[in-house]
Amino acid sequence: MKLTGAEIFVKGLADLGVDVIFGYPGGSVINIYDELFKNTKVRHLLPRHEQGAVHMADGFARASGKVGVCLVTSGPGATNTVTGLATAYMDSIPIVVFSGQVPTPLIGNDAFQEADIVGITRPCTKHNFLVKDTADLARVMKEAFYIASTGRPGPVLVDMPKDVLMASAEYAMPKEVKLRGYNPNYEGHPKQVESAMRLLEEREKPVLYVGGGVILSNAAAELTEFARLLGIPVTTTLMGMGAFPGTDPLCMGMLGMHGTYAANMAISHSDIILAVGARFDDRVTGKIAAFAPHAKIVHIDIDPTSIQKNVRVDIPIVGDVKDVLKKMLKLAKAPKVAAACKKRVAPWRDEIARWEATHPMRYKQGKGKINPKFVVEKIYELTKGKAVIATEVGQHQMFAAQFYKYDKPRTFLSSGGLGTMGFGLPAAIGAQVALPGALVIDIAGDGSIQMNIQELATAMQYRLPVKVVILNNGALGMVRQWQELFFDAKYSQTCLPQIPDFVKLAEAYGAAGFRATKPEEVEGVLRKGFATPGPVMIDIQTDPNELVYPMVPAGAALTDMLLV
């Protein structure tokens, strides 16, 4: 039976197991919207901006582990997805964005709402397609989902000209995908794994450096068992938070520019680093020449291009981290291996404990202005660490990373690689769609939240009970911090004197709004906000002079931390 391209698209989504998409209609995809109107299997959520739609699909994917899906029209609808695609690309998040395109004969003719979205997105997608024949559409959809979710995950774009959606063809969804030249290697080489374990058995100061790849491969359980079995201290990247329990005594917290003193000192004095699903980002390494000067480095990653990219690696292991950790666990469980390692590493753990005691993460909350770190700790206390936390980007993002303990994967959603302001609210909406029963909180800054604040209307329309906590310091806080520390406190264009009344703004959207201006009001306002049904915006006016510490200045070594 022949179907139109639009019918193939909707049936294809259902056959691929997609039950929800985030999309914005337009002329090039109007035929699809006509089919969506009639279908009963695929739920469609309407954001207020295409960038919001992509971040929602991204948040849905991060929270659920499934592929997030987004649908937009041609031209500006498609170009509005670029920031979301780049965000997902940097953090290896599996999403598929379907864009409408002008009819095939008009491509290249500067037609109305035409943009070369395939060319534009080539550098920020794992792969992209331009579908030229209706008969190819189902196959391309299958391939797009396969590419997005296999190997190192990432975003895929499928561009669909309007005439392809209107023409008819036989529906033919392939049962499996085989792509020439695309064969991700999931199995770590046993010899390399054995070499890594032999090296580990020779060393006294090991560190597990854990990235988002552990979460993406669902390997948190294996990682936790391995670390505890051998007694190896763990530090995580921003993307790796939740891959290892933040409350575990072995957890040193985040490392890098705003990492803990103990984690940065441990990396700098370690004699072996086991890097698991992490990519040695410059915010982690600081000055490359001074990074881990005494350590041999074992790097486990499914993407071979990530290995040796930024730092020298002594033992590369290409493969899925879950597979590699299982193999390492098997070797670690051999007689006496784990016990010997624990005994050998004990003095090292004591040394790290002394660093933790010397410079713990701390702050003072007096009777004056509200300290944003106090707010984050209060959120942790009230939610008992069981909320899903999304963030925007800035100081509040670092406070959320430093003062909330994440014990489970997929509970901390943040734009790590690209650092996208405006990510948090739509990502929280996507997460709330994926996890309807969860308490989802967007910890935001007053600058970032205004980037995509219109998505509060989306939360209201679908009664998604997202709670937004704004740490309102009247500034673009992180840039202001850099200006204060490195530009003689010349606050060029980082103060925001014209800030909306967020309580009234929330009410204008139909949501509830609350405000705290004094420390003694914080707990009550948070309790009230979290207990209020539906979307809530909580404006907490915080001290603009509170900075993020520790801080490693750009280009400095991890040991050159600025401390409180």
Side-chain angles (χ1 to χ4, degrees):
M1 182 179 67
K2 286 190 173 183
L3 302 176
T4 67
E7 291 171 328
I8 289 172
F9 177 81
V10 176
K11 179 173 173 50
L13 287 180
D15 288 351
L16 289 166
V18 176
D19 54 12
V20 60
I21 65 172
F22 306 89
Y24 205 97
S28 293
V29 289
I30 197 168
N31 297 73
I32 289 179
Y33 275 86
D34 192 51
E35 292 304 319
L36 285 170
F37 188 79
K38 293 180 281 187
N39 105 97
T40 58
K41 295 183 177 178
V42 180
R43 181 187 179 200
H44 179 278
L45 276 79
L46 176 69
R48 297 302 184 266
H49 192 290
E50 288 91 350
Q51 183 184 348
V54 188
H55 292 327
M56 288 177 199
D58 182 314
F60 177 90
R62 293 183 199 235
S64 68
K66 301 177 182 176
V67 176
V69 183
C70 176
L71 171 65
V72 298
T73 192
S74 63
T79 56
N80 281 343
T81 68
V82 173
T83 298
L85 285 164
T87 302
Y89 184 71
M90 292 288 281
D91 291 345
S92 305
I93 304 303
I95 62 171
V96 177
V97 173
F98 292 96
S99 56
Q101 183 54 277
V102 300
T104 307
L106 296 182
I107 292 177
N109 288 357
D110 294 336
F112 177 68
Q113 290 196 331
E114 181 193 0
D116 177 15
I117 194 63
V118 169
I120 291 169
T121 61
R122 191 164 288 131
C124 63
T125 53
K126 187 176 176 184
H127 193 70
N128 60 19
F129 296 90
L130 171 62
V131 184
K132 297 180 179 177
D133 189 327
T134 307
D136 294 335
L137 181 55
R139 173 184 57 78
V140 169
M141 291 174 70
K142 181 91 172 185
E143 291 176 358
F145 277 72
Y146 178 73
I147 293 170
S149 59
T150 55
R152 178 178 179 173
V156 177
L157 178 130
V158 180
D159 201 25
M160 305 176 296
K162 185 166 183 174
D163 56 322
V164 170
L165 296 174
M166 295 176 67
S168 298
E170 291 290 339
Y171 179 79
M173 179 68 73
K175 291 183 178 179
E176 60 180 25
V177 174
K178 290 184 179 178
L179 297 171
R180 189 173 62 183
Y182 180 72
N183 298 297
N185 177 37
Y186 287 88
E187 298 183 4
H189 196 287
K191 294 293 184 186
Q192 293 295 84
V193 174
E194 289 174 11
S195 297
M197 285 301 296
R198 278 200 301 273
L199 186 61
L200 179 63
E201 290 175 33
E202 298 170 357
R203 300 280 160 160
E204 298 177 345
K205 297 183 176 182
V207 170
L208 273 162
Y209 156 50
V210 174
V214 173
I215 296 173
L216 292 169
S217 67
N218 297 313
E222 288 79 5
L223 174 84
T224 302
E225 184 180 2
F226 184 77
R228 288 175 174 169
L229 183 67
L230 300 177
I232 300 177
V234 178
T235 182
T236 74
T237 67
L238 187 72
M239 299 305 300
M241 303 202 78
F244 184 77
T247 54
D248 192 289
L250 290 172
C251 185
M252 299 182 287
M254 186 172 66
L255 80 163
M257 180 172 281
H258 295 297
T260 66
Y261 180 80
N264 285 344
M265 292 298 285
I267 282 285
S268 301
H269 292 81
S270 65
D271 60 7
I272 181 169
I273 294 172
L274 301 177
V276 190
R279 60 188 176 88
F280 295 92
D281 179 88
D282 60 292
R283 287 290 170 110
V284 160
T285 62
K287 184 179 180 180
I288 293 275
F291 179 76
H294 314 294
K296 295 285 186 182
I297 296 178
V298 178
H299 191 178
I300 306 165
D301 204 297
I302 198 166
D303 180 4
T305 66
S306 285
I307 296 176
Q308 301 278 18
K309 188 173 185 178
N310 296 323
V311 301
R312 59 168 176 79
V313 171
D314 297 284
I315 300 179
I317 305 178
V318 177
D320 177 51
V321 297
K322 191 180 185 78
D323 173 83
V324 176
L325 285 170
K326 282 183 175 178
K327 289 173 176 167
M328 295 184 83
L329 267 171
K330 187 176 180 181
L331 295 173
K333 289 178 179 176
K336 298 183 180 178
V337 171
C341 183
K342 269 189 172 178
K343 183 178 179 182
R344 189 172 62 252
V345 173
W348 173 233
R349 291 196 299 271
D350 292 341
E351 189 173 356
I352 291 172
R354 287 194 289 273
W355 283 325
E356 289 173 335
T358 304
H359 295 289
M361 299 300 293
R362 58 187 170 192
Y363 64 90
K364 291 181 180 178
Q365 177 57 74
K367 294 183 178 178
K369 296 176 180 177
I370 300 172
N371 191 312
K373 300 166 187 175
F374 166 71
V375 179
V376 173
E377 277 205 333
K378 191 57 69 175
I379 294 172
Y380 177 71
E381 177 185 321
L382 295 177
T383 61
K384 298 180 173 60
K386 295 181 179 178
V388 175
I389 302 293
T391 77
E392 310 288 338
V393 168
Q395 285 180 315
H396 64 275
Q397 178 191 30
M398 293 298 109
F399 296 144
Q402 293 175 331
F403 290 92
Y404 196 103
K405 306 295 183 188
Y406 303 90
D407 280 342
K408 294 183 178 178
R410 304 192 184 283
T411 56
F412 179 69
L413 318 178
S414 193
S415 172
L418 197 64
T420 305
M421 293 174 69
F423 172 82
L425 175 55
I429 290 172
Q432 191 75 77
V433 172
L435 307 169
L439 173 57
V440 181
I441 300 170
D442 173 32
I443 296 179
D446 50 296
S448 279
I449 192 63
Q450 294 186 72
M451 289 273 184
N452 272 317
I453 201 166
Q454 77 284 348
E455 300 307 341
L456 195 58
T458 308
M460 280 303 302
Q461 179 177 342
Y462 299 100
R463 299 304 297 167
L464 297 166
V466 171
K467 315 303 179 191
V468 182
V469 179
I470 302 172
L471 304 182
N472 183 352
N473 60 6
L476 303 177
M478 188 58 87
V479 187
R480 183 182 184 277
Q481 173 168 334
W482 280 55
Q483 290 172 335
E484 178 165 330
L485 295 176
F486 309 117
F487 292 87
D488 301 322
K490 297 191 293 289
Y491 302 130
S492 177
Q493 304 298 320
T494 50
C495 297
L496 301 174
Q498 188 60 46
I499 294 175
D501 184 326
F502 288 114
V503 173
K504 289 183 178 177
L505 189 57
E507 292 171 350
Y509 278 109
F514 303 100
R515 176 176 293 118
T517 60
K518 302 174 184 175
E520 58 269 28
E521 296 173 343
V522 170
E523 180 171 341
V525 163
L526 290 175
R527 283 186 184 278
K528 195 172 181 181
F530 296 162
T532 300
V536 173
M537 186 169 282
I538 303 169
D539 177 19
I540 299 187
Q541 299 187 353
T542 60
D543 183 355
N545 296 314
E546 187 63 31
L547 305 185
V548 183
Y549 287 110
M551 180 175 187
V552 178
L558 293 184
T559 49
D560 294 334
M561 287 169 277
L562 304 179
L563 300 167
V564 180

